Amino acid sequence: MIPDQRPLREEALDWLVKTGDPAFDGWDAFTDWLERSPAHADAYHAAAGDLHDMDDLLAEAAPAVAPATSPSAPRRYPAARWAVAASFAAMAAAGAFVFAPAFTADHYATAAGETRTIALGDGDQLILNGDTSVELSGLGRRDVALEKGQLLLKIASKKHVEVSAGDLQFVDIGTIFEVARDGRQTRLLVQQGSVMADPKGAKVTVKAGEMLEAADGVRQLKAVASSTADAGAWTTGQLTYVDASLEQVAADLHRSTGLALSTSDAMARRRFSGTLSIDQIRKDPASLGPLLGVRIERAGGEWKFKEGG
């Protein structure tokens, strides 16, 4: 026997109308309902799709209206026609919301030295490093816009997550991966599985043990070898580098420790390979000197990298 889908359709329509109300504030309950079963999201999309047919259905209903007995006589509409019109009018009211690119976005931000874990449902996690700002939108809040900072995604389910950073997009293929954004530069490191970079253009697949770096506007994307230990190392209290610029090291340390660090343009291009302890640097910033082969001087509340280690 085929299960009766009417209760689910009615429930989906009810959510469709509710979410179209500008005063609606039950987003957590709505997201829980969507994630409870794949059938819920399918039913919701089907209800939203019916909006496309609204004009045709109302047009078909119009000829059935009883003709007026005289030009001045009031028209009488059968009750069923009023019900059809009212139902689709309610759906139409929700239409502007339903066909928007995404639901109202949720914004999350962390201070330098702070981390935060956001549950995406189905065992999936989004971990934000310090000084990071993101927006989550879309069904299930699985469209992630990284405005600045560093994040780690742990995707255990079969549900995809799309990350945008600058003018680049990344789509996971069952994985653990990190994305960092500094100024106009974006960096991707993959620990497990694989990630497709620029899915609508270059379609570069970045596999576990690889990384990709690109500045905004660059479309010659190439994955290079990295270490699987590099991705998300900051969640374990360490920062690991292989031939990284001191500019990147300073930015990462600022996010993870909250310390204000700066370097000159010339020093920024110097390279470093090794592992740094976040707690050790936070407690004793001067200990960075011998590790990086530079001199560390404090000026007010800022630590500066200088020549001569």
Side-chain angles (χ1 to χ4, degrees), residues 34-36 38 121-122 124 142 155 157-161 172:
L34 285 174
E35 294 181 345
R36 205 172 303 148
D122 298 295
D124 298 342
R142 302 181 81 84
I155 309 301
S157 72
K158 294 182 179 180
K159 294 184 177 180
H160 292 307
V161 170
D172 80 282

Side-chain angles (χ1 to χ4, degrees), residues 47-261:
D50 287 341
L51 287 172
H52 287 299
D53 302 325
M54 180 180 66
D55 290 339
D56 291 341
L57 289 175
L58 290 178
E60 291 174 7
V65 175
T69 55
S70 69
S72 60
R75 294 183 176 182
R76 298 184 182 278
Y77 293 83
R81 301 303 179 193
W82 279 114
V84 170
S87 295
F88 282 99
M91 293 175 70
F97 172 81
V98 171
F99 292 107
F103 295 120
T104 303
D106 288 332
H107 184 267
Y108 297 90
T110 54
E114 173 192 11
T115 60
R116 180 173 183 178
T117 299
I118 301 169
L120 299 179
D122 298 295
D124 298 342
Q125 290 184 327
L126 169 63
I127 306 173
L128 307 183
N129 200 357
D131 195 26
T132 296
S133 177
V134 300
E135 280 193 350
L136 307 186
S137 60
L139 287 175
R141 297 298 192 265
R142 302 181 81 84
D143 293 337
V144 182
L146 175 61
E147 298 168 357
K148 68 170 184 174
Q150 190 172 31
L151 60 81
L152 181 72
L153 274 159
K154 294 184 175 182
I155 309 301
S157 72
K158 294 182 179 180
K159 294 184 177 180
H160 292 307
V161 170
E162 180 171 316
V163 179
S164 61
D167 59 3
L168 270 180
Q169 285 77 44
F170 305 107
V171 177
D172 80 282
I173 310 175
T175 186
I176 298 176
F177 68 103
E178 171 190 306
V179 181
R181 175 80 176 161
D182 293 305
R184 296 173 57 82
Q185 192 84 14
T186 298
R187 182 174 76 251
L188 165 72
L189 297 98
V190 180
Q191 184 183 116
Q192 290 182 11
S194 56
V195 172
M196 180 174 287
D198 193 18
K200 298 178 182 178
K203 297 182 179 178
V204 176
T205 298
V206 185
K207 301 176 182 178
E210 293 183 335
M211 66 176 292
L212 181 150
E213 288 186 282
D216 290 354
V218 172
R219 275 297 169 263
Q220 293 182 340
L221 305 177
K222 183 180 178 180
V224 298
S226 181
S227 168
T228 55
D230 293 350
W234 45 271
T235 64
T236 64
Q238 294 183 322
L239 296 173
T240 302
Y241 300 98
V242 177
D243 195 35
S245 69
L246 290 191
E247 181 179 33
Q248 177 188 328
V249 173
D252 290 346
L253 283 170
H254 170 65
R255 277 191 290 263
S256 296
T257 66
L259 296 171
L261 302 163

